[in-house]
Amino acid sequence: MNIKKSVLFILLILVIDQWSKIYIKTHFVLGESVEVFSWFKILFIENEGAAWGAKLSDVLPISDNIGKLVLTIFRLFAIFGIGYWLFDVIKKKASNTLIWAVSLIFAGALGNILDSVFYGAIFNESYNEVATLFSDEPYGKLFYGKVVDMLYFPMIDSTWPSWMPMVGGQNFRFFEPVFNIADTAISTGVGILLVFNKRAFSKEEPVSKDVESTTENQDSVNE
């Protein structure tokens, strides 16, 4: 896989990710949801922090604004690091599996960093109203944007049996987190690295049985 294919792949993910976020932001009020299936909903929320909504201010004695700025700057450094990793594995002609995985991670990280850097400066608030793109009254400024999430899969929404200790009678929901296309790309890329670790970090892609059989037959003819 060459750098041209990787760039096109990344751009495709970015277009889908940003289009979905802009559409949700300009058509949904914060907290609004639409049921697609009983196990899948479009639910508009905004994430001001890191994964699962965690904030630096929750663990450090700093304000929410400073925590948000630090997180955005950290993401910028991370995206440069991932970009260098991607360029390096392509340059070294690493396995296609590894290049696909790193491309997915890079695309997802870049998708979310665009929200963090620019959305605060181009959108107004979504509380009780549908936001406007390039608003005259943005809700923040550069580096203080919120990440837009909308994919929600409450495949199981039930209650723990009353006889169970500690959790009996409490609501149980799976899958609880709300995420976006960029998050999906990152999770898929990481999943590929974990599941196909040996293939990803091998110097050569495994040859398929059909190709191997064709090669053997050709060798037999030549002999």
Side-chain angles (χ1 to χ4, degrees):
M1 183 178 178
N2 56 36
I3 193 167
K4 182 179 179 179
K5 291 181 179 178
S6 175
V7 169
L8 289 175
F9 180 60
I10 290 168
L11 287 176
L12 176 62
I13 294 175
L14 281 177
V15 168
I16 297 173
D17 175 66
Q18 290 300 307
W19 174 84
S20 65
K21 290 172 177 175
I22 293 173
Y23 179 86
I24 292 296
K25 188 74 174 164
T26 56
H27 288 79
F28 282 62
V29 174
L30 191 65
E32 183 179 353
S33 67
V34 173
E35 184 174 293
V36 181
F37 303 106
S38 61
W39 47 268
F40 171 47
K41 297 179 181 179
I42 301 296
L43 171 61
F44 173 32
I45 69 168
E46 290 182 313
N47 183 356
E48 298 185 47
W52 319 112
K55 299 180 182 179
L56 287 179
S57 57
D58 293 335
V59 295
L60 296 175
I62 56 177
S63 67
D64 287 348
N65 283 340
I66 293 177
K68 176 62 182 175
L69 179 61
V70 170
L71 181 61
T72 300
I73 293 174
F74 172 79
R75 283 173 167 166
L76 286 171
F77 277 105
I79 200 68
F80 278 109
I82 299 170
Y84 176 79
W85 184 21
L86 177 59
F87 176 78
D88 188 58
V89 294
I90 293 176
K91 182 180 178 181
K92 293 180 178 178
K93 300 185 184 300
S95 67
N96 286 336
T97 303
L98 179 58
I99 296 174
W100 282 118
V102 181
S103 296
L104 281 165
I105 295 171
F106 180 81
L110 184 56
N112 282 336
I113 197 65
L114 290 176
D115 298 28
S116 295
V117 173
F118 297 109
Y119 277 25
I122 63 175
F123 285 109
N124 59 311
E125 288 284 6
S126 294
Y127 294 108
N128 301 317
E129 64 177 345
V130 174
T132 302
L133 181 62
F134 302 119
S135 170
D136 292 331
E137 299 180 351
Y139 68 79
K141 52 187 178 181
L142 286 177
F143 298 101
Y144 288 91
K146 304 171 188 176
V147 177
V148 174
D149 293 326
M150 79 293 290
L151 303 178
Y152 182 40
F153 290 85
M155 292 179 282
I156 300 175
D157 192 349
S158 185
T159 304
W160 289 104
S162 58
W163 52 265
M164 292 190 68
M166 299 182 69
V167 295
Q170 296 182 19
N171 180 256
F172 169 71
R173 185 174 294 152
F174 180 87
F175 177 73
E176 186 91 42
V178 183
F179 54 99
N180 55 44
I181 300 297
D183 296 330
T184 303
I186 294 172
S187 299
T188 302
V190 172
I192 290 173
L193 293 180
L194 293 175
V195 176
F196 301 103
N197 184 275
K198 291 185 178 179
R199 180 184 298 181
F201 292 98
S202 65
K203 292 184 178 181
E204 296 181 359
E205 290 284 339
V207 181
S208 66
K209 291 183 178 180
D210 292 338
V211 174
E212 187 176 337
S213 176
T214 302
T215 303
E216 290 178 352
N217 292 336
Q218 185 64 43
D219 290 341
S220 298
V221 171
N222 292 337
E223 292 176 356

